[in-house]
């Protein structure tokens, strides 16, 4: 009775609880929240000061009395209380408008995406965090499965499907068939590690200490995985080729290691690509490793249909070409890689039978 009552005054919610970003999908409305997975809190009292974009603006700029926290690391909960507070905040935000009952009284059904290789303890931590945040029911769905469903892939067919989801904290590599994961690897190496690689490279080569936000900005603006080239076919394409091959540069600012004073320098696209090479090489090696473990019949399907590349990290320019060159397999890049997982979770929440088939943990407390 209570379940039916609360369902009248609450919305079913799907959450892509990422290390870098959190996306919230609401049944009947679509994606309503896209926020960084960051909280700012008072150091002593643990009182939450800001969540999401407001908290991210404070990173690296807070006084000693305030700390910024990323509740998740490597796709799993690092701070249970902070994660619960973040989920609770988004549940209340979703229910503040157009609800008869106060937002605090809303107890929605919640589905959350998790990495495929998390332990039972880590799964239970996410499940309990959702229930602790006010969900009446919480379901966990493996991210590769959610991403495939979000990309309208027929996951229940006897066909091998390979998903590579490069997020902020984890890279999910999985081969799916008949509604299940046949082979998978959850690599705790992804977008945030690319930022750290740029920081490390600039520190060693130029003696400049730069912040994570600056490194991320550099990665987005001039980062690439593959050296661009183009064959000239016409006068117009010659001009396009010159533009494509023109060396991109970005001015970065930080602190000089020797003097401790502010310093700026020009960082080139080639240097950023060189900095990212070790991280990308390891990801591609893991992709090859999963392919080696996959049954031959499924490998044949993957060769035919290609690898589906998704997640925010897949937006790095030229990454699909680099994978094609190294793994010798076609790559299909998602049109909206940032939302694949949350769109899949949304589709699962709209279909109870599908939810029962793909959930790995679920139900009442």
């Amino acid at each position: 009775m209570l379940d039916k009552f609360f369902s009248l005054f609450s919305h079913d919610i799907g959450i892509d609880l990422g290390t870098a970003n959190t996306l919230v999908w609401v049944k009947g409305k679509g994606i309503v929240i896209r926020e960084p997975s960051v909280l700012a809190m008072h150091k002593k009292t643990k009182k939450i000061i800001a969540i999401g974009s407001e908290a991210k603006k404070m990173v690296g700029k807070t006084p000693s009395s305030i700390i910024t926290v990323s509740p998740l690391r490597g796709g799993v909960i690092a701070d249970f209380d902070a994660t619960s507070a973040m989920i609770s905040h988004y549940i209340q935000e979703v229910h503040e408008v157009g609800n008869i009952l106060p937002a605090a009284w809303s107890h929605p059904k919640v589905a959350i995406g998790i990495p495929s290789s998390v332990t039972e303890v880590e799964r239970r931590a996410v499940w309990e965090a959702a229930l602790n945040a006010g969900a009446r029911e919480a379901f966990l769905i493996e991210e590769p499965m959610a991403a495939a469903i979000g990309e309208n892939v027929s996951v229940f067919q006897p066909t091998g499907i390979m998903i590579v989801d490069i997020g902020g904290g984890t890279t999910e590599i999985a081969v799916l068939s008949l509604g299940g994961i046949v082979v998978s690897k959850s690599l705790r190496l992804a977008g945030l590690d690319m930022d750290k690689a740029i920081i490390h490279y600039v520190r060693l080569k130029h003696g400049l200490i730069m912040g994570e936000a600056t490194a991320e900005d550099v990665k987005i603006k001039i980062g690439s995985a593959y050296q661009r080239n183009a064959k000239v076919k016409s006068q117009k394409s010659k001009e396009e080729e010159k533009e494509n091959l023109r060396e991109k540069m970005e001015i970065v600012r930080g602190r000089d290691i020797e003097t401790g004073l502010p310093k700026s320098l020009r960082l080139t696209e080639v240097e950023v690509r060189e900095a990212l090479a070790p991280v990308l090489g390891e990801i591609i090696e893991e992709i090859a490793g999963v392919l080696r473990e996959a049954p031959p019949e499924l490998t044949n399907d993957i060769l035919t249909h290609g690898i589906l590349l998704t997640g925010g990290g897949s937006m790095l320019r030229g990454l699909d070409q680099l994978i094609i060159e190294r793994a010798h397999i076609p790559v299909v890049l998602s049109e909206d890689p940032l939302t694949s997982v949350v769109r899949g979770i949304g589709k699962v929440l709209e279909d109870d039978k599908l939810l029962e088939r793909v959930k790995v943990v679920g139900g009442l407390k």
Side-chain angles (χ1 to χ4, degrees), residues 144-274:
M145 183 64 71
I149 293 170
E151 292 297 327
N152 297 315
V153 174
S154 301
V155 294
F156 297 104
Q157 296 297 318
T159 304
I161 304 153
M162 189 168 193
I163 302 284
V164 177
D165 178 8
I166 306 174
T170 60
T171 295
E172 295 291 314
I173 308 165
V175 175
L176 314 177
S177 181
L178 293 168
I181 294 177
V182 181
V183 185
S184 71
K185 177 75 175 181
S186 186
L187 182 65
R188 296 190 179 180
L189 191 72
L192 295 178
D193 297 280
M194 296 181 198
D195 300 341
K196 291 175 184 176
I198 294 171
I199 292 171
H200 182 67
Y201 179 91
V202 171
R203 183 185 181 115
L204 286 179
K205 186 172 182 179
H206 298 288
L208 181 78
I209 301 172
M210 60 195 292
E212 291 182 9
T214 304
E216 183 184 18
D217 192 47
V218 166
K219 179 183 70 177
I220 292 168
K221 287 182 177 177
I222 64 170
S224 65
Y226 193 82
Q227 186 172 4
R228 293 165 295 168
N229 52 34
K231 290 185 178 180
V232 179
K233 293 182 180 178
S234 65
Q235 186 61 39
K236 185 178 179 181
S237 65
K238 282 182 181 180
E239 294 172 3
E240 289 175 352
E241 181 190 4
K242 286 179 182 179
E243 180 63 30
N244 285 337
L245 296 180
R246 187 174 294 150
E247 184 69 18
K248 290 187 176 181
M249 290 185 287
E250 182 72 15
I251 295 174
V252 296
R253 297 175 178 88
R255 189 173 75 245
D256 188 278
I257 291 177
E258 292 183 0
T259 66
L261 298 174
K263 176 182 174 181
S264 62
L265 62 89
R266 289 182 183 273
L267 199 63
T268 68
E269 182 181 351
V270 171
E271 289 178 303
V272 176
R273 189 161 57 245
E274 188 179 333

Side-chain angles (χ1 to χ4, degrees), residues 40-60:
M41 64 173 70
H42 196 277
K43 194 172 184 178
K44 290 184 178 178
T45 64
K46 302 300 180 183
K47 181 182 177 182
I48 304 296
I49 298 168
I51 295 177
S53 299
E54 289 301 312
K56 189 170 184 180
K57 291 175 185 176
M58 300 179 186
V59 174

